[in-house]
Amino acid sequence: MASKTKPINEMKVVFPALSVNESFARTAVSSFIGLMDPKMDELIDIKTAVSEAVTNCIVHAYRDKSGDIELSVKVCPDRTVYIKIKDRGCGIEDIGQAMEPLFTTHPEEERSGLGFSVMESFCDDVKVTSKPGSGTTVTLRKKLGVKL
């Protein structure tokens, strides 16, 4: 899913996997993407998908321990945005199962199991790579419409 075109702009930030930082991640990405003058619905879609991906890291990746989330954004000349959310947490045993709607590893916590479904509904593509014990990377791709 990675772009073969050199990005026209990019950024990277690393922050602790704390629930208070979910809104920071959403705001950082929307501010950066805002430079491309996206339509409001595109910006909302991106913010929602980022929120879900970061929340997954906070809730699932670092169970009972601390860790960081690495967030990077690249914007390509064709107005395609690539957003990577990476952790070095516990990883996902079965990515296919984890991406099924309503699947959750912690039903006792009243989790809906819709995080990946939400990301897929708001992005053009969602790629998940993971290795148990080494972490997970979620890459979101969204092509912005023509600038008016």
Side-chain angles (χ1 to χ4, degrees):
M1 179 178 10
S3 169
K4 295 176 182 166
T5 307
K6 184 176 177 171
I8 57 173
N9 202 2
E10 57 189 306
M11 70 118 184
K12 185 189 289 189
V13 63
V14 178
F15 53 90
L18 302 171
S19 59
V20 296
N21 287 333
E22 179 272 328
S23 64
F24 163 74
R26 189 177 59 236
T27 302
V29 171
S30 65
S31 294
F32 185 76
I33 300 299
L35 300 171
M36 297 299 296
D37 197 21
K39 296 174 188 166
M40 187 57 68
D41 61 329
E42 294 170 331
L43 194 56
I44 290 169
D45 289 353
I46 290 169
K47 287 171 64 173
T48 302
V50 167
S51 180
E52 288 296 330
V54 170
T55 297
N56 274 358
C57 291
I58 293 167
V59 171
H60 299 290
Y62 297 111
R63 216 61 177 150
D64 302 322
K65 64 178 186 171
S66 61
D68 290 333
I69 297 172
E70 181 180 302
L71 172 68
S72 60
V73 183
K74 293 182 180 182
V75 179
C76 295
D78 69 352
R79 295 178 55 81
T80 300
V81 178
Y82 294 88
I83 303 164
K84 219 179 246 191
I85 299 97
K86 181 178 183 175
D87 67 66
R88 288 179 174 45
C90 64
I92 300 172
E93 289 283 335
D94 184 338
I95 294 171
Q97 182 183 39
M99 292 184 77
E100 288 179 16
L102 305 178
F103 176 79
T104 180
T105 56
H106 300 288
E108 71 281 359
E109 294 180 8
E110 298 181 23
R111 298 280 168 196
S112 67
L114 293 173
F116 286 122
S117 296
V118 168
M119 288 179 238
E120 289 175 321
S121 69
F122 288 112
C123 293
D124 297 323
D125 193 37
V126 176
K127 181 181 177 190
V128 180
T129 57
S130 189
K131 184 175 179 188
S134 297
T136 301
T137 300
V138 174
T139 305
L140 310 171
R141 180 179 57 84
K142 177 84 171 177
K143 174 132 178 163
L144 301 177
V146 177
K147 187 174 175 183
L148 299 176

